[in-house]
Amino acid sequence: MTAALVATCIQMNAQKLATSYKGTSNNNPISASVFCADPTALEYNGRLYVYGTNDHQQFIKNGKKGDNSYGDIKSIVVFSTDDMVNWTFHGTIDTKKICAGWVTYPWYQGYGVSWAPSVTWRTTEDGTDEFFLYFCNSSHGVGVLKANSPIGPWTSPNNKLMINYDTPGAFPGGTSANFDPGVVIDENGIGWISFGGLNDNGALLPDNARIAKLKPNMTEVDGKPVRIPAPYHFEANELNVIGGKYVYTYCSHWSRNQDEWNTYKNEHNISANMPGGGTMCYMVSDNPMDPNSWVFKDYYGPGVAGNNHSHLQKFQGNYYHIYHDHGSVLLDAMKSAGAVDASAGDYRSICVNKATVNESTATINRVTLNLEGVSSVKNLNPYELQQAETMANCAGIEYEDFTNIQKNGTISTLGNDASENMQVKMEAGSWINLRGLDFGTTGAGKFTLRAKGTGTLEIRTVRIGAKPAATIEFSSNEMEDHTIELDATKFTDIKKNVFFVVTSATDVYIDAWQFTESGSAGISMIENSKPVKLQRYDLAGRKLSDSHSHRGIIIEQYTDENGVKHSRKRY
């Protein structure tokens, strides 16, 4: 064989892998491929759900170049996790479609865009779970959506903005903005919403922040909003209840004066230093409707390049600072690699870092921001059915529904039911990285991939450049389960990294995957025992009726004839 032919064979056998712009070991940002910002979050049934402004929609509309103008952002992204490292992308909430029936006169009460969401939920007296998602319609006001699960389907309970220029106590047109809602339900079951910003004029007390009580239905304001005397307030309002106190967080503006601040400190008998520009500040109150009750505590979130927006969230006993990276390390890496036009700017990414909170005093320590992110709170179970949209990192993939945004960018065809199972489109060289899979001491004896198209997928452990521990070849026109036997000795213990690498692909879509423990027959079919009290749920825990048509993974819970309770995932 000639040297040239040998070189050619080596080149053909070498697989060029898609580039990771997130970095091989970083946990920030939470998505390696979707630009999103202005995060809010809730904990439900052991999972953390994060919602954000869909910067990626504007990115696509702009042809992946130019600055983010925000005007074509008409949907909200949804992610979730139960370990803080592997994140599931649930698609987007199509606010334009949901709010299509809003009034168009006056113009400022109708729908235009959806930015900066804030979310909360409650269980009603009859046991129904209700979720409320608020968002700002540019600077004109605040809208609200409602659902019975954290991923929808969402509906609009109103036919217009809940807060607008005509709302008594809100900001009339031309002054401060009625935007960036922050919502919370307190320990008495009362809902509260904060909003406002801009038009600061460099003032220490710009009078551009408001808080209002919500009616029991959570979709109407109860009485007139009142002022929050937030020093150097700019935007990015959010609310929490910590230790029985109301905690209001916001982003500071950049115009500050030390002498002016010293006077303010003395007048209010506080010791906090003057906040930096674009930092996340917080105030505390025992009586939110009394402006004089609000006490400025400090800033806890460092400033970032450009605007700042964050949410403080408790999950599994720990507090987290969820924020967007305005400088966008993801975008910078893409530009450096020539993957997007050098003119692209202001497409943001959501990140998470640990926060330390003293609940007895409602005090938040200064947060450190880094790309390393946070550690996992649990290991991922490879013996449970997992969605392909769950990943810690990836490269070269596309979410099928996500890229269905029409090329003109003005209409999103994603639909408003984010719980519909999505698919991941993969090309040759693309890959998905999961972290912290616990195979146990016995190890995995089988692997099942639910996919369509024709392709080859390699499973690699420890590092992406490692030799494959297993290879699966598949070919089908429809979504089908493809199963292979494994060498269990290669799939034992806790793996820091597992990579699914597609080395050849023709119209390949991956829907889900699952390992089977060695020596196990796998998850027994429900028909093997007589089910009693069978109930079906979607992945968010929303109960499904027998007549409910649901595409994708569901959870079945039942008690067999012997009184043993079972729970399994299936399609």
Side-chain angles (χ1 to χ4, degrees):
M1 183 180 293
T2 66
L5 183 56
V6 170
T8 300
C9 290
I10 293 175
Q11 185 176 8
M12 291 176 63
N13 290 331
Q15 175 64 52
K16 183 178 180 180
L17 299 177
T19 302
S20 167
Y21 302 108
K22 178 175 177 175
T24 57
S25 60
N26 294 335
N27 287 325
N28 277 331
I30 66 172
S31 175
S33 58
V34 178
F35 293 115
C36 45
D38 307 321
T40 186
L42 61 82
E43 179 178 0
Y44 181 69
N45 281 355
R47 293 191 70 85
L48 178 67
Y49 290 84
V50 173
Y51 308 75
T53 303
N54 188 4
D55 280 15
H56 211 96
Q57 188 167 16
Q58 189 72 60
F59 180 65
I60 293 174
K61 171 63 169 59
N62 287 359
K64 302 182 180 181
K65 60 184 179 181
D67 286 332
N68 185 356
S69 61
Y70 311 109
D72 290 286
I73 299 177
K74 304 176 187 295
S75 55
I76 295 168
V77 299
V78 188
F79 290 87
S80 76
T81 184
D82 64 354
D83 61 18
M84 298 304 297
V85 170
N86 299 294
W87 291 85
T88 302
F89 179 52
H90 295 285
T92 70
I93 301 168
D94 189 347
T95 47
K96 179 179 175 63
K97 179 179 178 181
I98 301 169
C99 304
W102 282 13
V103 299
T104 57
Y105 181 83
W107 65 268
Y108 50 79
Q109 294 185 16
Y111 176 80
V113 293
S114 48
W115 305 340
S118 185
V119 69
T120 192
W121 73 283
R122 68 183 178 187
T123 300
T124 62
E125 291 183 357
D126 65 1
T128 301
D129 291 338
E130 293 182 328
F131 297 80
F132 300 92
L133 184 65
Y134 304 80
F135 65 91
C136 67
N137 186 37
S138 184
S139 62
H140 310 316
V142 175
V144 58
L145 306 179
K146 185 178 179 180
N148 291 121
S149 97
I151 50 177
W154 295 89
T155 60
S156 174
N158 300 332
N159 67 350
K160 61 182 179 180
L161 287 172
M162 184 182 78
I163 297 172
N164 59 69
Y165 293 144
D166 296 333
T167 301
F171 302 109
T175 61
S176 298
N178 297 308
F179 76 164
D180 284 11
V183 66
V184 73
I185 297 176
D186 67 20
E187 296 160 339
N188 298 313
I190 300 173
W192 303 89
I193 189 166
S194 57
F195 63 94
L198 304 183
N199 195 36
D200 52 71
N201 295 320
L204 187 148
L205 293 173
D207 192 25
N208 59 357
R210 295 287 184 269
I211 188 168
K213 184 179 178 182
L214 293 172
K215 290 185 178 180
N217 60 17
M218 296 291 291
T219 62
E220 298 176 88
V221 174
D222 187 0
K224 292 179 63 174
V226 300
R227 177 176 61 95
I228 300 179
Y232 298 130
H233 176 266
F234 182 61
E235 60 182 13
N237 314 282
E238 273 282 27
L239 286 172
N240 286 82
V241 174
I242 301 175
K245 296 182 181 295
Y246 298 86
V247 179
Y248 168 65
T249 62
Y250 65 93
C251 174
S252 62
H253 66 68
W254 287 262
S255 299
R256 303 171 314 286
N257 180 282
Q258 188 63 59
D259 291 337
E260 186 179 52
W261 180 256
N262 292 339
T263 300
Y264 175 84
K265 282 174 53 177
N266 293 332
E267 290 177 348
H268 292 81
N269 193 29
I270 62 174
S271 59
N273 292 325
M274 182 176 65
T279 57
M280 294 306 304
C281 303
Y282 73 108
M283 303 184 75
V284 173
S285 170
D286 291 315
N287 181 8
M289 294 299 282
D290 177 8
N292 294 324
S293 71
W294 288 98
V295 177
F296 182 87
K297 298 282 282 188
D298 205 342
Y299 76 92
Y300 67 96
V304 297
N307 72 334
N308 204 346
H309 200 122
S310 72
H311 176 68
L312 184 69
Q313 178 67 40
K314 189 177 183 179
F315 176 66
Q316 301 294 310
N318 297 313
Y319 277 94
Y320 295 95
H321 175 60
I322 310 173
Y323 61 101
H324 67 231
D325 169 26
H326 196 286
S328 188
V329 62
L330 195 64
L331 180 63
D332 289 346
M334 289 180 177
K335 290 197 290 187
S336 296
V340 300
D341 192 89
S343 67
D346 206 26
Y347 301 106
R348 301 160 293 179
S349 297
I350 292 177
C351 300
V352 183
N353 282 107
K354 198 83 171 283
T356 301
V357 177
N358 185 325
E359 293 185 333
S360 64
T361 61
T363 301
I364 312 170
N365 289 0
R366 200 71 46 81
V367 176
T368 299
L369 309 184
N370 56 52
L371 295 177
E372 181 182 353
V374 298
S375 301
S376 61
V377 297
K378 62 177 289 189
N379 294 319
L380 190 149
N381 186 354
Y383 304 126
E384 289 185 351
L385 190 64
Q386 302 288 349
Q387 297 180 85
E389 304 87 59
T390 299
M391 58 191 74
N393 199 356
C394 66
I397 66 104
E398 290 184 357
Y399 300 103
E400 184 185 53
D401 291 348
F402 189 79
T403 55
N404 280 342
I405 296 175
Q406 293 186 0
K407 292 186 182 299
N408 65 14
T410 59
I411 301 175
S412 169
T413 59
L414 298 170
N416 68 2
D417 190 352
S419 65
E420 289 289 337
N421 196 55
M422 299 178 66
Q423 301 166 352
V424 177
K425 180 175 176 58
M426 302 189 74
E427 305 286 350
S430 61
W431 52 268
I432 291 172
N433 170 218
L434 296 118
R435 296 173 183 168
L437 277 67
D438 187 355
F439 290 100
T441 56
T442 304
K446 293 181 182 179
F447 175 73
T448 299
L449 182 72
R450 186 165 181 82
K452 68 178 179 180
T454 300
T456 302
L457 182 143
E458 295 181 353
I459 306 174
R460 306 179 187 181
T461 62
V462 183
R463 57 187 178 84
I464 195 169
K467 292 182 179 180
T471 301
I472 180 170
E473 297 180 348
F474 57 92
S475 183
S476 59
N477 293 326
E478 302 295 333
M479 276 291 173
E480 294 182 7
D481 289 347
H482 308 273
T483 302
I484 58 170
E485 302 286 334
L486 300 176
D487 179 354
T489 63
K490 296 180 179 179
F491 296 93
T492 60
D493 302 324
I494 299 173
K495 301 298 184 185
K496 182 177 181 180
N497 283 298
V498 172
F499 298 89
F500 297 145
V501 182
V502 172
T503 57
S504 66
T506 302
D507 297 326
V508 167
Y509 291 87
I510 307 297
D511 196 16
W513 59 268
Q514 184 175 21
F515 288 87
T516 302
E517 194 167 7
S518 181
S520 169
I523 299 176
S524 60
M525 296 300 291
I526 194 169
E527 292 78 13
N528 291 345
S529 58
K530 184 179 179 181
V532 180
K533 298 180 180 178
L534 172 65
Q535 184 57 60
R536 299 161 63 240
Y537 302 85
D538 66 14
L539 289 173
R542 181 182 57 181
K543 187 180 292 186
L544 304 175
S545 66
D546 292 338
S547 61
H548 186 101
S549 177
H550 182 83
R551 181 175 66 88
I553 301 172
I554 64 171
I555 299 171
E556 287 186 336
Q557 294 182 352
Y558 68 99
T559 302
D560 66 22
E561 55 192 341
N562 297 317
V564 179
K565 294 182 179 181
H566 300 266
S567 179
R568 71 184 291 270
K569 292 181 182 178
R570 59 166 293 182
Y571 284 90

